[in-house]
Amino acid sequence: MASTRRPTYRPAKPASRDGAARDGAAGRDTSAGAPDGGKPAVITASKGVPEVTAQEKAQASAPKRSTPKAGTPKRSTPKTSTPKGKAWKPGTQKPETTSPDEPGQDNVLAFPEPRGRRIRRNLIVAVCVTAALVAGLIIAAVYSPVLAVHSVSVTGTKLLKPAQVQAALKPLLGTPLPQVSDDEVTSLLKPLVQIKSVTTQAHPPSVLVVQVQERVPVALVKRGNEYMLVDVDGVRLSTTADPTSVKLPVIDGGAGTIGKDLFQATAEVLGALPANVLAKLSNASAKSVDAVELKLLDGQTVIWGNAGEKELKARVLEALLKVPADPANPVNTYDVSVPRHPVTR
């Protein structure tokens, strides 16, 4: 469709002297047809289109930048501010970069810290703080005088008195409870041969409980006018002048007379017997390590043999002694040397 807008006419600006000179140099006739003697009037037509400035032309000719896709973070490019009319030349100092909001600083886009990294950092900090607190509490408990030992409680004593154990452990008073060990207590109680083992418990703030396991006496050994209580290892536990006050068998000759091997074999047999059977024995003897004999208070003899299968022999002898006695056929000897085939006669 043709435009119905009518063209407008306006006179052109007079040519400059330089332009006239150039026209003259080119050999053109500029005076022909001029109404004012050499200066022709030029008429131009325009449809009202706005003039394009030089800045707009430069922007139109500049290469277009690619637009980032959706979801891609934009990176801000620092701008360089230069004084008007001055251009930066290679080899000279570059002008300072400025941002629109704060001159002299880079406009950097800060991204948020990933959630996983933040949680991991917080967890590491929490673990370090907890470890430091626990270490402080342990150090305070180990060296604090508040937890020092003020009293010792002793249990499990029969041959000894609790006061004897407490006197031996007196060096521990004032020591913090966490620093007291079973080895240290055992070392202090070593002179008390009646003690076989010991365990300790700390009852804060200041009580040390000592559980004592004493050696078990299995026989009396006669030495002169006194009798010694010995355990299965032959350790002398105590002495007594009245053998009837202790319900234990007497080992004839003692460890020094019958020899160490015979004494050890006899002591092992006595150590395997239950308490109710041990209380019925009068004495024990051994002609050899394979010929251990026991005497009961009733005068009966027990042929034991060697120390092998002593637990089974002890159970068999206990069962035989529970059988009611037959006045018509009294039993004088119990032979348990072969425990699976015991013999009574």
Side-chain angles (χ1 to χ4, degrees):
M1 181 176 180
S3 174
T4 58
R5 187 174 181 178
R6 302 177 65 182
T8 57
Y9 298 91
R10 62 179 179 178
K13 296 181 180 181
S16 62
R17 293 182 180 181
D18 295 336
R22 286 193 299 268
D23 292 341
R28 295 179 183 177
D29 187 7
T30 59
S31 61
D36 295 334
K39 294 181 180 181
V42 180
I43 299 175
T44 60
S46 175
K47 293 186 179 182
V49 180
E51 295 183 358
V52 180
T53 62
Q55 183 178 2
E56 293 177 349
K57 289 182 179 181
Q59 292 179 355
S61 60
K64 295 183 180 180
R65 297 181 179 181
S66 59
T67 304
K69 297 182 181 180
T72 305
K74 298 182 178 180
R75 300 180 59 183
S76 60
T77 304
K79 297 182 179 180
T80 305
S81 60
T82 57
K84 294 183 178 180
K86 295 183 179 180
W88 174 75
K89 297 180 180 180
T92 61
Q93 184 179 3
K94 291 185 178 181
E96 297 181 356
T97 58
T98 59
S99 62
D101 298 334
E102 188 174 352
Q105 296 184 4
D106 294 339
N107 186 12
V108 181
L109 181 61
F111 292 93
E113 185 179 8
R115 183 172 179 270
R117 183 182 299 175
R118 184 172 64 255
I119 294 176
R120 184 166 56 252
R121 185 187 67 242
N122 295 339
L123 182 61
I124 293 174
V125 172
V127 170
C128 294
V129 172
T130 303
L133 291 176
V134 171
L137 292 176
I138 292 175
I139 293 174
V142 170
Y143 297 100
S144 175
V146 178
L147 299 178
V149 178
H150 292 165
S151 62
V152 178
S153 176
V154 181
T155 59
T157 56
K158 293 181 179 179
L159 301 175
L160 295 173
K161 295 180 180 180
Q164 293 175 277
V165 180
Q166 292 171 349
L169 297 178
K170 192 174 181 180
L172 296 179
L173 296 179
T175 305
L177 283 173
Q179 296 186 20
V180 178
S181 63
D182 289 352
D183 294 339
E184 186 176 4
V185 174
T186 302
S187 178
L188 292 174
L189 296 179
K190 191 174 182 180
L192 301 177
V193 295
Q194 295 86 349
I195 297 177
K196 185 176 183 180
S197 62
V198 65
T199 57
T200 61
Q201 290 182 350
H203 288 189
S206 59
V207 179
L208 177 66
V209 177
V210 179
Q211 177 68 35
V212 174
Q213 182 181 0
E214 293 182 334
R215 295 180 180 272
V216 179
V218 296
L220 290 171
V221 177
K222 186 177 181 180
R223 286 290 181 86
N225 297 327
E226 64 180 9
Y227 294 85
M228 297 183 302
L229 274 76
V230 296
D231 70 342
V232 68
D233 298 323
V235 177
R236 177 181 174 180
L237 305 178
S238 63
T239 60
T240 180
D242 185 10
T244 59
S245 61
V246 182
K247 294 182 178 180
L248 290 175
V250 177
I251 297 179
D252 295 337
T257 303
I258 65 174
K260 183 178 179 180
D261 294 339
L262 297 181
F263 178 82
Q264 188 68 31
T266 305
E268 288 183 3
V269 170
L270 297 177
L273 295 175
N276 57 344
V277 176
L278 195 62
K280 297 179 180 181
L281 295 183
S282 173
N283 59 70
S285 61
K287 296 179 181 180
S288 67
V289 293
D290 295 327
V292 178
E293 290 187 0
L294 307 176
K295 288 290 184 179
L296 300 178
L297 295 174
D298 297 336
Q300 297 167 321
T301 301
V302 177
I303 299 176
W304 189 273
N306 56 27
E309 297 183 307
K310 53 186 178 182
E311 290 82 6
L312 179 58
K313 292 178 181 180
R315 292 196 299 269
V316 172
L317 178 60
E318 184 180 12
L320 293 175
L321 293 176
K322 290 181 180 179
V323 176
D326 186 2
N329 296 308
V331 176
N332 295 321
T333 303
Y334 296 94
D335 188 350
V336 293
S337 57
V338 183
R340 291 174 178 78
H341 303 282
V343 176
T344 60
R345 44 181 190 271

